[in-house]
């Protein structure tokens, strides 16, 4: 029982409700960055992006679309990694939440390689095959299964080469661990509420596989990563 996944319990997170003051949102997003730094939030994404970085030999920047970017910490991690590999990239980061984009602008202002766009990832305003790589990190679990399938379809439509979905793996152990960590490491009420809810909202690997199949993905794999992470990698 302990090691089996609990039923999915989709509930809105406080950040999604967009009712908190900006300063409280800023502090919660900083907590998210810490979690990503120490619990593989960046490592998983960079692992699958690096394969494209290594194979990119065209005389143009490699283009990346980040869906539901939040504070844009994932684009910053991608940019830093690309620079280490001496690969030129151009990143478009989309989010519907203005408060998150305001904070993202503070963090990315000096990086001309990152463009921030306010928009709904359920209705992407981009042409087919517009980006070499389309990524979505730690946000697919915010959506119903129906909307998750729609997002996967849109991501593959605008991708030229690869889609990478980096998300949580629903688990009782992961829920207990993140509940304890958030009580030890932060006093922010948004983080303390949202982090455990995120785990219970998340999909399992088998559910992620079913979502990809429903979205029409023909060439994809779902990978497990420590600790309690899932990567869906779809090829065009």
């Amino acid at each position: 029982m302990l090691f089996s996944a609990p039923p999915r319990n989709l509930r809105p997170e406080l950040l999604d409700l967009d009712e908190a003051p900006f300063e409280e949102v800023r502090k919660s997003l900083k907590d998210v960055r810490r979690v990503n730094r120490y619990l593989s939030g960046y490592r998983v994404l960079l692992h699958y992006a690096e394969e494209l970085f290594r194979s990119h030999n065209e005389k143009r920047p490699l283009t990346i679309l980040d869906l539901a970017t939040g504070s844009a910490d994932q684009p910053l991690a991608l940019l830093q990694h690309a620079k280490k590999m001496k690969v030129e990239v151009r990143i478009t980061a989309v989010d519907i939440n203005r408060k998150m984009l305001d904070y993202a602008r503070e963090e990315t202002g000096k990086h001309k390689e990152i463009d921030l766009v306010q928009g709904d990832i359920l209705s992407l305003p981009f042409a087919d095959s517009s980006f070499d790589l389309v990524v979505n990190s730690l946000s697919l679990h915010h959506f119903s299964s129906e909307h998750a399938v729609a997002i996967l379809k849109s991501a593959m439509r605008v991708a030229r080469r690869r889609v990478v979905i980096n998300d949580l793996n629903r688990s009782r152990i992961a829920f207990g661990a993140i509940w304890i960590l958030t009580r030890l490491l932060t006093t922010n009420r948004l983080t303390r509420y949202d982090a455990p809810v995120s785990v219970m909202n998340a999909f399992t690997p088998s559910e992620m596989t079913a979502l990809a199949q429903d979205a029409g993905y023909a060439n994809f794999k779902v990978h497990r990563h420590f600790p309690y992470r899932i990567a869906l990698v779809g090829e065009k």
Side-chain angles (χ1 to χ4, degrees):
M1 185 70 174
L2 177 63
F3 295 101
S4 63
R8 188 173 189 236
N9 181 21
L10 182 60
R11 288 185 290 164
E13 299 180 26
L14 296 182
L15 280 175
D16 292 336
L17 297 177
D18 198 20
E19 296 173 349
F22 178 68
E23 190 56 36
E24 193 173 28
V25 169
R26 184 208 302 269
K27 290 179 180 178
S28 182
L29 291 174
K30 287 183 177 180
D31 288 337
V32 172
R33 284 170 176 256
R34 280 201 295 168
V35 169
N36 285 338
R37 185 178 303 117
Y38 296 113
L39 296 180
S40 300
Y42 302 135
R43 181 174 57 82
V44 172
L45 173 62
L46 297 179
H47 174 74
Y48 297 105
E50 183 172 316
E51 295 174 3
L52 288 192
F53 292 172
R54 292 188 185 281
S55 64
H56 184 69
N57 53 17
E58 299 181 46
K59 293 182 178 180
R60 62 170 180 83
L62 185 143
T63 54
I64 302 172
L65 175 64
D66 182 33
L67 303 176
T69 195
S71 69
D73 58 328
Q74 304 284 343
L76 285 169
L78 286 165
L79 178 59
Q80 182 181 29
H81 199 66
K83 286 183 175 180
K84 286 181 180 178
M85 296 182 64
K86 301 187 185 313
V87 175
E88 187 179 359
V89 296
R90 187 78 189 188
I91 304 173
T92 301
V94 178
D95 203 285
I96 199 170
N97 189 305
R98 182 172 293 278
K99 288 176 186 173
M100 291 193 184
L101 287 177
D102 286 343
Y103 179 52
R105 287 189 182 91
E106 293 179 4
E107 297 296 315
T108 64
K110 64 181 180 180
H111 300 288
K112 61 178 177 27
E113 300 92 342
I114 300 176
D115 296 317
L116 299 175
V117 177
Q118 185 173 16
D120 187 349
I121 65 172
L122 288 169
S123 55
L124 294 175
F126 306 110
D128 294 359
S129 302
S130 298
F131 301 90
D132 296 301
L133 172 64
V134 178
V135 303
N136 175 259
S137 295
L138 302 175
S139 78
L140 197 71
H141 65 264
H142 291 242
F143 297 90
S144 67
S145 295
E146 180 182 359
H147 282 167
V149 169
I151 291 166
L152 293 180
K153 286 181 178 179
S154 294
M156 186 60 77
R157 177 183 67 79
V158 300
R160 185 178 297 118
R161 297 178 63 186
R162 173 175 287 184
V163 172
V164 177
I165 308 296
N166 169 26
D167 217 316
L168 304 170
N169 182 357
R170 191 172 73 250
S171 156
R172 289 183 171 86
I173 294 177
F175 173 84
I178 201 65
W179 191 93
I180 292 170
L181 282 174
T182 52
R183 269 64 192 170
L184 292 175
L185 300 178
T186 183
T187 60
N188 185 279
R189 71 179 180 95
L190 304 181
T191 307
R192 285 185 165 191
Y193 180 84
D194 284 356
V197 168
S198 290
V199 173
M200 297 303 287
N201 284 349
F203 298 103
T204 63
S206 61
E207 290 167 349
M208 189 71 81
T209 298
L211 292 175
Q213 291 171 339
D214 289 345
Y217 282 31
N219 184 13
F220 74 93
K221 290 183 179 179
V222 174
H223 306 269
R224 296 171 184 254
H225 288 268
F226 177 85
Y228 296 100
R229 300 280 179 167
I230 299 174
L232 164 62
V233 182
E235 307 292 351
K236 199 64 179 271

